[in-house]
Amino acid sequence: MKKPDAQEVGTLIASECLSVRVRRLGRVITRIYDAALAPHGVSAAQLNLLAAIAVGDGARPGDLTRLLEVEKSTLSRDLKRMEQLGWIRSEAALPRGGRIVTLTPAGARLLTDVRPAWEKAQARARAELGEKPFAQLRAALPSPLKAR
Amino acid sequence: MKKPDAQEVGTLIASECLSVRVRRLGRVITRIYDAALAPHGVSAAQLNLLAAIAVGDGARPGDLTRLLEVEKSTLSRDLKRMEQLGWIRSEAALPRGGRIVTLTPAGARLLTDVRPAWEKAQARARAELGEKPFAQLRAALPSPLKAR
DNA sequence: TGCCTGGGGTTGTATGTACAACTATCCCCC
DNA sequence: GGGGGATAGTTGTACATACAACCCCAGGCA
């Protein structure tokens, strides 16, 4: 028999831990967007990245890591995949081997094509969460664009 | 030049998309908990799972997939790893090849040992987010225990 | 001049995650 | 008593993610 202590700690964490809730939400939300976007052959993560690149019509990888709070090694591989898919292009341009990433025409087309599916996912997420939690969440989480 | 359209859609998604915000938050939060828990050799995801198992002092995998909203194949592999680490045990017990997963003494000890580090992470997350967003988030997201 | 430092990027390795396909069981019902 | 369907789990494959360890190059500085 385990010490009853472990059960208490387990209950505490299961009910109070922020990472439990946030990670669970992430799985649910990601599934919704992935399902809606699947017909276009793009994932939620990839669409996030495409959008971030489109905003400035070209971005430096360092900006993207800060904007999306993603590790540089992760970004490196994600960009490589998207480059192989023909959605983006990366041009060596700056001093220290720095680069600039831009959308290809195919990437730009994908982004506009996908918009209805994205709106469907957004609506679906709102419905699943409920109107009120959706709004609370919106209020609690800063838009990455505002964030810096 | 891309059509300006793509830039508009990109900006719309970057600023309005729920998955962008939630996934970004997930990365930030996961990093905080992982860092705090690292000295104990346990990840945020593993602690979440350990806690869920501890709550009922034993659970069926099917319950865990619903509680954590995780795919059964994901759960299968995560449990396998934790079993190899000696934290849990899984006993064949029920009808349709069903099993019951319980903490080992080592798993129970880990859970209690890790509590201070978890509290540190929780405090750190609150500080990073700010008092108000933290509370809003708490209110918007149901505790998985309540959820069903 | 030659070294150190720091920014920018990739690669090795491991985990977390999902979907699809497959296997194994049990249970109901004709 | 033999399907058929529902339930439970594993395995193949691919992507998202992170940390650590590297490599490259530009500038400062002794």
PDB file of all heavy atoms in Angstrom, chain D residues 16-29:
ATOM      1  P    DA D  16       4.832  19.701 -37.564  1.00  0.00           P
ATOM      2  OP1  DA D  16       3.650  20.516 -37.892  1.00  0.00           O
ATOM      3  OP2  DA D  16       6.124  19.959 -38.226  1.00  0.00           O
ATOM      4  O5'  DA D  16       5.068  19.808 -35.989  1.00  0.00           O
ATOM      5  C5'  DA D  16       4.020  19.425 -35.135  1.00  0.00           C
ATOM      6  C4'  DA D  16       4.390  19.717 -33.700  1.00  0.00           C
ATOM      7  O4'  DA D  16       5.151  18.623 -33.162  1.00  0.00           O
ATOM      8  C3'  DA D  16       5.236  20.973 -33.466  1.00  0.00           C
ATOM      9  O3'  DA D  16       4.751  21.567 -32.265  1.00  0.00           O
ATOM     10  C2'  DA D  16       6.655  20.401 -33.328  1.00  0.00           C
ATOM     11  C1'  DA D  16       6.382  19.072 -32.637  1.00  0.00           C
ATOM     12  N9   DA D  16       7.332  17.993 -32.897  1.00  0.00           N
ATOM     13  C8   DA D  16       7.864  17.620 -34.094  1.00  0.00           C
ATOM     14  N7   DA D  16       8.667  16.571 -34.018  1.00  0.00           N
ATOM     15  C5   DA D  16       8.649  16.239 -32.670  1.00  0.00           C
ATOM     16  C6   DA D  16       9.293  15.223 -31.929  1.00  0.00           C
ATOM     17  N6   DA D  16      10.107  14.320 -32.474  1.00  0.00           N
ATOM     18  N1   DA D  16       9.061  15.168 -30.602  1.00  0.00           N
ATOM     19  C2   DA D  16       8.229  16.079 -30.056  1.00  0.00           C
ATOM     20  N3   DA D  16       7.567  17.076 -30.647  1.00  0.00           N
ATOM     21  C4   DA D  16       7.832  17.096 -31.968  1.00  0.00           C
ATOM     22  P    DT D  17       5.269  22.938 -31.750  1.00  0.00           P
ATOM     23  OP1  DT D  17       4.219  23.528 -30.899  1.00  0.00           O
ATOM     24  OP2  DT D  17       5.832  23.693 -32.882  1.00  0.00           O
ATOM     25  O5'  DT D  17       6.461  22.506 -30.814  1.00  0.00           O
ATOM     26  C5'  DT D  17       6.169  21.907 -29.555  1.00  0.00           C
ATOM     27  C4'  DT D  17       7.422  21.372 -28.926  1.00  0.00           C
ATOM     28  O4'  DT D  17       7.949  20.285 -29.689  1.00  0.00           O
ATOM     29  C3'  DT D  17       8.604  22.334 -28.856  1.00  0.00           C
ATOM     30  O3'  DT D  17       8.493  23.137 -27.694  1.00  0.00           O
ATOM     31  C2'  DT D  17       9.796  21.373 -28.781  1.00  0.00           C
ATOM     32  C1'  DT D  17       9.198  20.006 -29.114  1.00  0.00           C
ATOM     33  N1   DT D  17      10.016  19.231 -30.078  1.00  0.00           N
ATOM     34  C2   DT D  17      10.743  18.174 -29.598  1.00  0.00           C
ATOM     35  O2   DT D  17      10.744  17.844 -28.422  1.00  0.00           O
ATOM     36  N3   DT D  17      11.490  17.503 -30.532  1.00  0.00           N
ATOM     37  C4   DT D  17      11.571  17.795 -31.876  1.00  0.00           C
ATOM     38  O4   DT D  17      12.272  17.119 -32.608  1.00  0.00           O
ATOM     39  C5   DT D  17      10.776  18.920 -32.315  1.00  0.00           C
ATOM     40  C7   DT D  17      10.791  19.339 -33.750  1.00  0.00           C
ATOM     41  C6   DT D  17      10.045  19.576 -31.404  1.00  0.00           C
ATOM     42  P    DA D  18       9.611  24.234 -27.353  1.00  0.00           P
ATOM     43  OP1  DA D  18       9.080  25.123 -26.325  1.00  0.00           O
ATOM     44  OP2  DA D  18      10.150  24.781 -28.602  1.00  0.00           O
ATOM     45  O5'  DA D  18      10.758  23.356 -26.658  1.00  0.00           O
ATOM     46  C5'  DA D  18      10.378  22.556 -25.545  1.00  0.00           C
ATOM     47  C4'  DA D  18      11.583  21.797 -25.053  1.00  0.00           C
ATOM     48  O4'  DA D  18      11.945  20.773 -25.989  1.00  0.00           O
ATOM     49  C3'  DA D  18      12.811  22.692 -24.864  1.00  0.00           C
ATOM     50  O3'  DA D  18      13.239  22.570 -23.525  1.00  0.00           O
ATOM     51  C2'  DA D  18      13.836  22.131 -25.842  1.00  0.00           C
ATOM     52  C1'  DA D  18      13.350  20.720 -26.112  1.00  0.00           C
ATOM     53  N9   DA D  18      13.622  20.275 -27.475  1.00  0.00           N
ATOM     54  C8   DA D  18      13.203  20.860 -28.637  1.00  0.00           C
ATOM     55  N7   DA D  18      13.585  20.238 -29.718  1.00  0.00           N
ATOM     56  C5   DA D  18      14.299  19.154 -29.245  1.00  0.00           C
ATOM     57  C6   DA D  18      14.973  18.104 -29.882  1.00  0.00           C
ATOM     58  N6   DA D  18      15.015  17.966 -31.209  1.00  0.00           N
ATOM     59  N1   DA D  18      15.590  17.192 -29.113  1.00  0.00           N
ATOM     60  C2   DA D  18      15.534  17.330 -27.782  1.00  0.00           C
ATOM     61  N3   DA D  18      14.937  18.275 -27.061  1.00  0.00           N
ATOM     62  C4   DA D  18      14.331  19.168 -27.864  1.00  0.00           C
ATOM     63  P    DC D  19      14.318  23.595 -22.929  1.00  0.00           P
ATOM     64  OP1  DC D  19      13.910  23.835 -21.536  1.00  0.00           O
ATOM     65  OP2  DC D  19      14.529  24.718 -23.845  1.00  0.00           O
ATOM     66  O5'  DC D  19      15.661  22.729 -22.909  1.00  0.00           O
ATOM     67  C5'  DC D  19      15.656  21.510 -22.192  1.00  0.00           C
ATOM     68  C4'  DC D  19      16.970  20.783 -22.427  1.00  0.00           C
ATOM     69  O4'  DC D  19      16.994  20.240 -23.760  1.00  0.00           O
ATOM     70  C3'  DC D  19      18.212  21.670 -22.317  1.00  0.00           C
ATOM     71  O3'  DC D  19      19.173  20.934 -21.585  1.00  0.00           O
ATOM     72  C2'  DC D  19      18.630  21.891 -23.773  1.00  0.00           C
ATOM     73  C1'  DC D  19      18.219  20.562 -24.371  1.00  0.00           C
ATOM     74  N1   DC D  19      17.972  20.613 -25.850  1.00  0.00           N
ATOM     75  C2   DC D  19      18.447  19.574 -26.653  1.00  0.00           C
ATOM     76  O2   DC D  19      19.082  18.656 -26.136  1.00  0.00           O
ATOM     77  N3   DC D  19      18.200  19.617 -27.986  1.00  0.00           N
ATOM     78  C4   DC D  19      17.509  20.628 -28.507  1.00  0.00           C
ATOM     79  N4   DC D  19      17.291  20.611 -29.817  1.00  0.00           N
ATOM     80  C5   DC D  19      17.023  21.695 -27.692  1.00  0.00           C
ATOM     81  C6   DC D  19      17.269  21.648 -26.379  1.00  0.00           C
ATOM     82  P    DA D  20      20.504  21.654 -21.026  1.00  0.00           P
ATOM     83  OP1  DA D  20      20.478  21.380 -19.575  1.00  0.00           O
ATOM     84  OP2  DA D  20      20.583  23.047 -21.519  1.00  0.00           O
ATOM     85  O5'  DA D  20      21.693  20.823 -21.702  1.00  0.00           O
ATOM     86  C5'  DA D  20      21.457  19.485 -22.108  1.00  0.00           C
ATOM     87  C4'  DA D  20      22.529  19.038 -23.083  1.00  0.00           C
ATOM     88  O4'  DA D  20      22.060  19.194 -24.448  1.00  0.00           O
ATOM     89  C3'  DA D  20      23.847  19.814 -22.998  1.00  0.00           C
ATOM     90  O3'  DA D  20      24.890  18.892 -23.205  1.00  0.00           O
ATOM     91  C2'  DA D  20      23.710  20.826 -24.149  1.00  0.00           C
ATOM     92  C1'  DA D  20      22.984  19.981 -25.184  1.00  0.00           C
ATOM     93  N9   DA D  20      22.201  20.738 -26.162  1.00  0.00           N
ATOM     94  C8   DA D  20      21.416  21.843 -25.931  1.00  0.00           C
ATOM     95  N7   DA D  20      20.820  22.304 -27.008  1.00  0.00           N
ATOM     96  C5   DA D  20      21.233  21.442 -28.009  1.00  0.00           C
ATOM     97  C6   DA D  20      20.941  21.392 -29.386  1.00  0.00           C
ATOM     98  N6   DA D  20      20.140  22.264 -30.007  1.00  0.00           N
ATOM     99  N1   DA D  20      21.516  20.414 -30.123  1.00  0.00           N
ATOM    100  C2   DA D  20      22.328  19.541 -29.494  1.00  0.00           C
ATOM    101  N3   DA D  20      22.671  19.471 -28.196  1.00  0.00           N
ATOM    102  C4   DA D  20      22.080  20.475 -27.504  1.00  0.00           C
ATOM    103  P    DA D  21      26.410  19.296 -22.902  1.00  0.00           P
ATOM    104  OP1  DA D  21      26.877  18.241 -21.978  1.00  0.00           O
ATOM    105  OP2  DA D  21      26.493  20.722 -22.527  1.00  0.00           O
ATOM    106  O5'  DA D  21      27.128  19.097 -24.301  1.00  0.00           O
ATOM    107  C5'  DA D  21      26.664  18.038 -25.151  1.00  0.00           C
ATOM    108  C4'  DA D  21      27.051  18.336 -26.585  1.00  0.00           C
ATOM    109  O4'  DA D  21      26.032  19.154 -27.208  1.00  0.00           O
ATOM    110  C3'  DA D  21      28.371  19.119 -26.725  1.00  0.00           C
ATOM    111  O3'  DA D  21      29.196  18.397 -27.611  1.00  0.00           O
ATOM    112  C2'  DA D  21      27.920  20.475 -27.286  1.00  0.00           C
ATOM    113  C1'  DA D  21      26.668  20.089 -28.047  1.00  0.00           C
ATOM    114  N9   DA D  21      25.725  21.187 -28.272  1.00  0.00           N
ATOM    115  C8   DA D  21      25.298  22.113 -27.353  1.00  0.00           C
ATOM    116  N7   DA D  21      24.451  22.997 -27.830  1.00  0.00           N
ATOM    117  C5   DA D  21      24.315  22.633 -29.161  1.00  0.00           C
ATOM    118  C6   DA D  21      23.550  23.173 -30.204  1.00  0.00           C
ATOM    119  N6   DA D  21      22.755  24.236 -30.066  1.00  0.00           N
ATOM    120  N1   DA D  21      23.634  22.579 -31.417  1.00  0.00           N
ATOM    121  C2   DA D  21      24.434  21.509 -31.553  1.00  0.00           C
ATOM    122  N3   DA D  21      25.191  20.899 -30.631  1.00  0.00           N
ATOM    123  C4   DA D  21      25.091  21.518 -29.443  1.00  0.00           C
ATOM    124  P    DC D  22      30.755  18.730 -27.810  1.00  0.00           P
ATOM    125  OP1  DC D  22      31.461  17.473 -27.631  1.00  0.00           O
ATOM    126  OP2  DC D  22      31.086  19.933 -26.989  1.00  0.00           O
ATOM    127  O5'  DC D  22      30.859  19.039 -29.361  1.00  0.00           O
ATOM    128  C5'  DC D  22      30.765  20.224 -29.821  1.00  0.00           C
ATOM    129  C4'  DC D  22      30.089  20.254 -31.157  1.00  0.00           C
ATOM    130  O4'  DC D  22      28.798  20.788 -30.891  1.00  0.00           O
ATOM    131  C3'  DC D  22      30.818  21.263 -32.027  1.00  0.00           C
ATOM    132  O3'  DC D  22      31.509  20.601 -33.067  1.00  0.00           O
ATOM    133  C2'  DC D  22      29.727  22.125 -32.604  1.00  0.00           C
ATOM    134  C1'  DC D  22      28.464  21.729 -31.894  1.00  0.00           C
ATOM    135  N1   DC D  22      27.799  22.888 -31.258  1.00  0.00           N
ATOM    136  C2   DC D  22      26.918  23.636 -32.035  1.00  0.00           C
ATOM    137  O2   DC D  22      26.754  23.318 -33.219  1.00  0.00           O
ATOM    138  N3   DC D  22      26.276  24.704 -31.488  1.00  0.00           N
ATOM    139  C4   DC D  22      26.485  25.016 -30.204  1.00  0.00           C
ATOM    140  N4   DC D  22      25.821  26.044 -29.701  1.00  0.00           N
ATOM    141  C5   DC D  22      27.373  24.252 -29.393  1.00  0.00           C
ATOM    142  C6   DC D  22      28.013  23.215 -29.948  1.00  0.00           C
ATOM    143  P    DC D  23      32.743  21.421 -33.724  1.00  0.00           P
ATOM    144  OP1  DC D  23      33.521  20.412 -34.478  1.00  0.00           O
ATOM    145  OP2  DC D  23      33.389  22.283 -32.714  1.00  0.00           O
ATOM    146  O5'  DC D  23      32.004  22.383 -34.763  1.00  0.00           O
ATOM    147  C5'  DC D  23      31.250  21.802 -35.811  1.00  0.00           C
ATOM    148  C4'  DC D  23      30.712  22.913 -36.676  1.00  0.00           C
ATOM    149  O4'  DC D  23      29.734  23.648 -35.913  1.00  0.00           O
ATOM    150  C3'  DC D  23      31.781  23.926 -37.090  1.00  0.00           C
ATOM    151  O3'  DC D  23      31.664  24.195 -38.480  1.00  0.00           O
ATOM    152  C2'  DC D  23      31.477  25.161 -36.263  1.00  0.00           C
ATOM    153  C1'  DC D  23      29.980  25.031 -36.026  1.00  0.00           C
ATOM    154  N1   DC D  23      29.537  25.687 -34.763  1.00  0.00           N
ATOM    155  C2   DC D  23      28.572  26.692 -34.816  1.00  0.00           C
ATOM    156  O2   DC D  23      28.094  27.022 -35.904  1.00  0.00           O
ATOM    157  N3   DC D  23      28.189  27.297 -33.661  1.00  0.00           N
ATOM    158  C4   DC D  23      28.730  26.917 -32.507  1.00  0.00           C
ATOM    159  N4   DC D  23      28.311  27.533 -31.398  1.00  0.00           N
ATOM    160  C5   DC D  23      29.702  25.892 -32.429  1.00  0.00           C
ATOM    161  C6   DC D  23      30.087  25.299 -33.569  1.00  0.00           C
ATOM    162  P    DC D  24      32.765  25.066 -39.246  1.00  0.00           P
ATOM    163  OP1  DC D  24      32.796  24.567 -40.638  1.00  0.00           O
ATOM    164  OP2  DC D  24      34.008  25.176 -38.442  1.00  0.00           O
ATOM    165  O5'  DC D  24      32.091  26.505 -39.257  1.00  0.00           O
ATOM    166  C5'  DC D  24      30.958  26.707 -40.075  1.00  0.00           C
ATOM    167  C4'  DC D  24      30.562  28.154 -39.952  1.00  0.00           C
ATOM    168  O4'  DC D  24      30.116  28.407 -38.610  1.00  0.00           O
ATOM    169  C3'  DC D  24      31.726  29.117 -40.213  1.00  0.00           C
ATOM    170  O3'  DC D  24      31.295  30.035 -41.199  1.00  0.00           O
ATOM    171  C2'  DC D  24      31.986  29.775 -38.858  1.00  0.00           C
ATOM    172  C1'  DC D  24      30.612  29.665 -38.205  1.00  0.00           C
ATOM    173  N1   DC D  24      30.594  29.683 -36.725  1.00  0.00           N
ATOM    174  C2   DC D  24      29.763  30.614 -36.062  1.00  0.00           C
ATOM    175  O2   DC D  24      29.077  31.400 -36.736  1.00  0.00           O
ATOM    176  N3   DC D  24      29.739  30.643 -34.702  1.00  0.00           N
ATOM    177  C4   DC D  24      30.477  29.788 -34.013  1.00  0.00           C
ATOM    178  N4   DC D  24      30.409  29.841 -32.685  1.00  0.00           N
ATOM    179  C5   DC D  24      31.324  28.827 -34.649  1.00  0.00           C
ATOM    180  C6   DC D  24      31.356  28.809 -36.005  1.00  0.00           C
ATOM    181  P    DC D  25      32.354  30.898 -42.038  1.00  0.00           P
ATOM    182  OP1  DC D  25      31.864  30.941 -43.435  1.00  0.00           O
ATOM    183  OP2  DC D  25      33.714  30.425 -41.709  1.00  0.00           O
ATOM    184  O5'  DC D  25      32.160  32.357 -41.433  1.00  0.00           O
ATOM    185  C5'  DC D  25      30.838  32.882 -41.440  1.00  0.00           C
ATOM    186  C4'  DC D  25      30.737  34.023 -40.464  1.00  0.00           C
ATOM    187  O4'  DC D  25      30.738  33.526 -39.110  1.00  0.00           O
ATOM    188  C3'  DC D  25      31.908  35.013 -40.539  1.00  0.00           C
ATOM    189  O3'  DC D  25      31.380  36.311 -40.483  1.00  0.00           O
ATOM    190  C2'  DC D  25      32.715  34.701 -39.292  1.00  0.00           C
ATOM    191  C1'  DC D  25      31.576  34.364 -38.335  1.00  0.00           C
ATOM    192  N1   DC D  25      31.996  33.637 -37.118  1.00  0.00           N
ATOM    193  C2   DC D  25      31.448  34.034 -35.881  1.00  0.00           C
ATOM    194  O2   DC D  25      30.644  34.965 -35.840  1.00  0.00           O
ATOM    195  N3   DC D  25      31.833  33.385 -34.762  1.00  0.00           N
ATOM    196  C4   DC D  25      32.694  32.371 -34.842  1.00  0.00           C
ATOM    197  N4   DC D  25      33.045  31.746 -33.717  1.00  0.00           N
ATOM    198  C5   DC D  25      33.253  31.952 -36.079  1.00  0.00           C
ATOM    199  C6   DC D  25      32.877  32.608 -37.190  1.00  0.00           C
ATOM    200  P    DA D  26      32.017  37.444 -41.454  1.00  0.00           P
ATOM    201  OP1  DA D  26      31.303  37.423 -42.750  1.00  0.00           O
ATOM    202  OP2  DA D  26      33.475  37.247 -41.380  1.00  0.00           O
ATOM    203  O5'  DA D  26      31.648  38.789 -40.708  1.00  0.00           O
ATOM    204  C5'  DA D  26      30.363  38.903 -40.112  1.00  0.00           C
ATOM    205  C4'  DA D  26      30.504  39.558 -38.763  1.00  0.00           C
ATOM    206  O4'  DA D  26      30.959  38.599 -37.790  1.00  0.00           O
ATOM    207  C3'  DA D  26      31.504  40.721 -38.735  1.00  0.00           C
ATOM    208  O3'  DA D  26      30.863  41.809 -38.115  1.00  0.00           O
ATOM    209  C2'  DA D  26      32.665  40.172 -37.889  1.00  0.00           C
ATOM    210  C1'  DA D  26      31.934  39.208 -36.975  1.00  0.00           C
ATOM    211  N9   DA D  26      32.732  38.118 -36.424  1.00  0.00           N
ATOM    212  C8   DA D  26      33.506  37.236 -37.121  1.00  0.00           C
ATOM    213  N7   DA D  26      34.095  36.335 -36.364  1.00  0.00           N
ATOM    214  C5   DA D  26      33.684  36.656 -35.085  1.00  0.00           C
ATOM    215  C6   DA D  26      33.954  36.071 -33.832  1.00  0.00           C
ATOM    216  N6   DA D  26      34.749  35.015 -33.680  1.00  0.00           N
ATOM    217  N1   DA D  26      33.380  36.632 -32.754  1.00  0.00           N
ATOM    218  C2   DA D  26      32.576  37.701 -32.914  1.00  0.00           C
ATOM    219  N3   DA D  26      32.248  38.329 -34.041  1.00  0.00           N
ATOM    220  C4   DA D  26      32.839  37.757 -35.101  1.00  0.00           C
ATOM    221  P    DG D  27      31.298  43.291 -38.470  1.00  0.00           P
ATOM    222  OP1  DG D  27      30.089  44.000 -38.853  1.00  0.00           O
ATOM    223  OP2  DG D  27      32.487  43.235 -39.347  1.00  0.00           O
ATOM    224  O5'  DG D  27      31.761  43.850 -37.060  1.00  0.00           O
ATOM    225  C5'  DG D  27      32.243  42.906 -36.154  1.00  0.00           C
ATOM    226  C4'  DG D  27      32.143  43.398 -34.757  1.00  0.00           C
ATOM    227  O4'  DG D  27      32.577  42.304 -33.955  1.00  0.00           O
ATOM    228  C3'  DG D  27      33.132  44.539 -34.484  1.00  0.00           C
ATOM    229  O3'  DG D  27      32.748  45.191 -33.278  1.00  0.00           O
ATOM    230  C2'  DG D  27      34.420  43.762 -34.344  1.00  0.00           C
ATOM    231  C1'  DG D  27      33.955  42.499 -33.614  1.00  0.00           C
ATOM    232  N9   DG D  27      34.685  41.295 -34.006  1.00  0.00           N
ATOM    233  C8   DG D  27      35.090  40.908 -35.269  1.00  0.00           C
ATOM    234  N7   DG D  27      35.758  39.782 -35.286  1.00  0.00           N
ATOM    235  C5   DG D  27      35.791  39.404 -33.947  1.00  0.00           C
ATOM    236  C6   DG D  27      36.378  38.270 -33.339  1.00  0.00           C
ATOM    237  O6   DG D  27      36.992  37.348 -33.888  1.00  0.00           O
ATOM    238  N1   DG D  27      36.183  38.269 -31.953  1.00  0.00           N
ATOM    239  C2   DG D  27      35.500  39.248 -31.252  1.00  0.00           C
ATOM    240  N2   DG D  27      35.415  39.092 -29.952  1.00  0.00           N
ATOM    241  N3   DG D  27      34.940  40.313 -31.817  1.00  0.00           N
ATOM    242  C4   DG D  27      35.129  40.328 -33.154  1.00  0.00           C
ATOM    243  P    DG D  28      33.519  46.487 -32.848  1.00  0.00           P
ATOM    244  OP1  DG D  28      32.518  47.487 -32.412  1.00  0.00           O
ATOM    245  OP2  DG D  28      34.512  46.833 -33.874  1.00  0.00           O
ATOM    246  O5'  DG D  28      34.287  45.959 -31.542  1.00  0.00           O
ATOM    247  C5'  DG D  28      33.521  45.686 -30.376  1.00  0.00           C
ATOM    248  C4'  DG D  28      34.404  45.063 -29.312  1.00  0.00           C
ATOM    249  O4'  DG D  28      35.014  43.867 -29.817  1.00  0.00           O
ATOM    250  C3'  DG D  28      35.541  45.968 -28.823  1.00  0.00           C
ATOM    251  O3'  DG D  28      35.645  45.813 -27.413  1.00  0.00           O
ATOM    252  C2'  DG D  28      36.766  45.404 -29.560  1.00  0.00           C
ATOM    253  C1'  DG D  28      36.424  43.929 -29.643  1.00  0.00           C
ATOM    254  N9   DG D  28      37.020  43.226 -30.780  1.00  0.00           N
ATOM    255  C8   DG D  28      36.946  43.594 -32.095  1.00  0.00           C
ATOM    256  N7   DG D  28      37.550  42.758 -32.910  1.00  0.00           N
ATOM    257  C5   DG D  28      38.060  41.779 -32.073  1.00  0.00           C
ATOM    258  C6   DG D  28      38.821  40.619 -32.387  1.00  0.00           C
ATOM    259  O6   DG D  28      39.188  40.225 -33.494  1.00  0.00           O
ATOM    260  N1   DG D  28      39.132  39.890 -31.240  1.00  0.00           N
ATOM    261  C2   DG D  28      38.762  40.240 -29.961  1.00  0.00           C
ATOM    262  N2   DG D  28      39.154  39.427 -28.994  1.00  0.00           N
ATOM    263  N3   DG D  28      38.054  41.326 -29.653  1.00  0.00           N
ATOM    264  C4   DG D  28      37.739  42.048 -30.756  1.00  0.00           C
ATOM    265  P    DC D  29      36.352  46.910 -26.563  1.00  0.00           P
ATOM    266  OP1  DC D  29      35.370  47.378 -25.575  1.00  0.00           O
ATOM    267  OP2  DC D  29      37.016  47.860 -27.482  1.00  0.00           O
ATOM    268  O5'  DC D  29      37.486  46.093 -25.790  1.00  0.00           O
ATOM    269  C5'  DC D  29      37.464  44.655 -25.831  1.00  0.00           C
ATOM    270  C4'  DC D  29      38.870  44.108 -25.666  1.00  0.00           C
ATOM    271  O4'  DC D  29      39.287  43.444 -26.879  1.00  0.00           O
ATOM    272  C3'  DC D  29      39.950  45.168 -25.400  1.00  0.00           C
ATOM    273  O3'  DC D  29      40.881  44.643 -24.473  1.00  0.00           O
ATOM    274  C2'  DC D  29      40.589  45.359 -26.775  1.00  0.00           C
ATOM    275  C1'  DC D  29      40.557  43.919 -27.257  1.00  0.00           C
ATOM    276  N1   DC D  29      40.681  43.783 -28.722  1.00  0.00           N
ATOM    277  C2   DC D  29      41.271  42.621 -29.263  1.00  0.00           C
ATOM    278  O2   DC D  29      41.667  41.737 -28.497  1.00  0.00           O
ATOM    279  N3   DC D  29      41.381  42.504 -30.608  1.00  0.00           N
ATOM    280  C4   DC D  29      40.935  43.473 -31.404  1.00  0.00           C
ATOM    281  N4   DC D  29      41.059  43.303 -32.715  1.00  0.00           N
ATOM    282  C5   DC D  29      40.342  44.659 -30.881  1.00  0.00           C
ATOM    283  C6   DC D  29      40.238  44.773 -29.554  1.00  0.00           C
TER     284       DC D  29
END
